[in-house]
Amino acid sequence: MNHLLKHHKSSRKLTTLVENKTTYSADYAELNIYETHEYAEKIALRFDFPVIASMLTGKKVMHIEGMSSFDFFPGESVVMPAGKEMVIDFPLARKNNPTQCLTLGIDTEKITEVVERFNADIAVEKESHNWALDSTASHLLHNIEVDYLVKRLVYTFTKNEVSKDILLDLMIQELIVRLLQTKAKAFLLKNTDDDVFNDTRIGMVIKYIKQNLTDKEISVDILARKACMSVSHFHKKFKSTLGVSPIDYINSEKIRFSKKLIKESKELRISEIAFKSGFNNTSYFNRQFKKMELMTPQQFKASIVPG
């Protein structure tokens, strides 16, 4: 992250050691980079517009109404609605090792415009469910797409390029869509209310996958029929709504189930875990596990069963 802040460091002015703020503006957004160079507690921030806050370096402890306090590290983000207060502690901030974070404020009309286009794109006939970035805060962990976009935004905001505003506009639109997909996915995966699942065809498909996760015959063709769509149309709507393809989603859920089995059934062999998780092929299971968890099933098993 330090190389992304190179242009920022060369031009910013340091006027305070706690939450020193540098502001960069664009047509539809405002980027604030905050730096804290000494230990501090209970520093309150509130914005009149929705913001995405992301950690750059160091650590914060965040206190947000309606959420349990949590540690905030680089690579993580928080979506904050307008007018909501966050209170922050800086346990590790030092003069030679400052804690740095950013807030990205986005014009509400731009958010509304992108949200309406997103809902129109994922809409299916006779369905009424619309997604929005509403009044609740959310903590995003290990969201690779959002983290990547935040880094690109920092670089583009702080480097004075001729096409800066055009590039930022495109990235901000993509960021809003990624956040909407994250919200839709989290809502559909965590909510157990049948009315929620039955409200949309994608919700009904998610419910079917949950109920038939270990079925080795589950396929995109079957899911498309359940959604009463052609395979190509279903694939497009599923990926537009959740940000992942149906197959990637099914595999991620099977891998999540396999991790639960590994933790709870330590005597099972990896081949048995693969079979019970709905995989026909152990090699394919191993590849998917490593792709999603950055380690093999055997390494994961060793990490929770020492020796």
Side-chain angles (χ1 to χ4, degrees):
M1 183 60 76
N2 286 332
H3 72 283
L4 295 175
L5 296 173
K6 181 173 66 175
H7 300 289
H8 164 71
K9 287 180 178 178
S10 66
S11 60
R12 68 98 160 90
K13 294 179 180 179
L14 194 62
T15 58
T16 177
L17 294 179
V18 178
E19 291 292 72
N20 186 77
K21 182 174 79 168
T22 306
T23 299
Y24 300 89
S25 297
D27 285 345
Y28 302 104
E30 176 182 288
L31 176 74
N32 295 302
I33 296 180
Y34 294 88
E35 300 173 72
T36 296
H37 294 254
E38 64 182 19
Y39 177 91
E41 288 183 337
K42 296 180 174 61
I43 306 300
L45 285 179
R46 188 194 303 267
F47 297 88
D48 296 329
F49 41 81
V51 300
I52 296 105
S54 294
M55 282 296 289
L56 300 174
T57 64
K59 169 188 169 182
K60 291 181 177 183
V61 180
M62 302 287 282
H63 311 279
I64 300 172
E65 183 184 354
M67 301 174 67
S68 299
S69 298
F70 58 91
D71 293 340
F72 196 27
F73 293 104
E76 300 177 7
S77 298
V78 172
V79 181
M80 294 290 297
K84 198 171 186 70
E85 185 178 72
M86 48 183 162
V87 178
I88 310 164
D89 301 332
F90 300 84
L92 303 181
R94 301 293 183 270
K95 187 174 182 180
N96 62 345
N97 191 24
T99 295
Q100 298 169 310
C101 77
L102 65 83
T103 61
L104 176 67
I106 303 174
D107 184 272
T108 53
E109 289 186 6
K110 171 60 69 173
I111 293 175
T112 300
E113 173 195 326
V114 177
V115 167
E116 287 177 352
R117 287 168 57 193
F118 175 81
N119 282 318
D121 186 57
I122 67 168
V124 180
E125 185 183 2
K126 297 180 181 178
E127 291 186 1
S128 59
H129 198 109
N130 288 327
W131 303 104
L133 300 181
D134 57 15
S135 59
T136 59
S138 56
H139 181 199
L140 307 182
L141 290 164
H142 312 304
N143 191 310
I144 296 171
E145 290 86 0
V146 170
D147 186 42
Y148 175 66
L149 275 168
V150 166
K151 289 175 180 176
R152 286 172 58 202
L153 282 161
V154 170
Y155 180 82
T156 307
F157 259 109
T158 58
K159 190 176 181 183
N160 194 22
E161 294 184 341
V162 175
S163 302
K164 174 180 172 180
D165 283 329
I166 296 173
L167 293 170
L168 288 173
D169 185 34
L170 293 171
M171 282 184 264
I172 287 165
Q173 290 184 61
E174 183 179 352
L175 180 61
I176 295 169
V177 169
R178 294 294 184 188
L179 293 171
L180 288 166
Q181 290 172 334
T182 300
K183 180 184 176 70
K185 185 176 179 181
F187 182 78
L188 288 172
L189 298 191
K190 291 178 182 178
N191 205 305
T192 57
D193 187 345
D194 279 348
D195 289 339
V196 171
F197 284 116
N198 294 334
D199 185 47
T200 69
R201 298 191 205 181
I202 298 301
M204 291 173 65
V205 167
I206 294 294
K207 180 181 179 181
Y208 178 82
I209 293 171
K210 284 175 175 284
Q211 293 174 339
N212 299 274
L213 185 62
T214 58
D215 184 348
K216 297 170 185 59
E217 303 306 317
I218 194 170
S219 68
V220 176
D221 286 352
I222 291 173
L223 299 180
R225 287 199 296 272
K226 293 289 180 184
C228 300
M229 301 181 196
S230 70
V231 171
S232 60
H233 187 53
F234 168 72
H235 190 280
K236 178 181 182 295
K237 292 299 181 184
F238 192 100
K239 190 166 185 178
S240 295
T241 304
L242 301 185
V244 295
S245 70
I247 289 298
D248 284 344
Y249 171 72
I250 292 167
N251 284 337
S252 70
E253 288 299 289
K254 287 183 176 182
I255 295 301
R256 189 162 68 93
F257 180 74
S258 76
K259 289 170 64 180
K260 182 172 180 287
L261 285 180
I262 292 171
K263 290 176 182 177
E264 296 176 354
S265 310
K266 299 179 178 64
E267 73 285 352
L268 289 176
R269 297 191 303 272
I270 295 301
S271 58
E272 293 175 303
I273 294 287
F275 184 80
K276 288 179 177 292
S277 301
F279 290 93
N280 281 319
N281 186 297
T282 304
S283 296
Y284 182 67
F285 166 66
N286 287 334
R287 290 198 304 273
Q288 290 298 314
F289 196 103
K290 188 170 184 179
K291 173 185 172 183
M292 295 176 192
E293 300 298 324
L294 304 181
M295 66 175 74
T296 66
Q298 197 64 53
Q299 288 169 332
F300 177 75
K301 185 175 183 178
S303 72
I304 60 173
V305 187

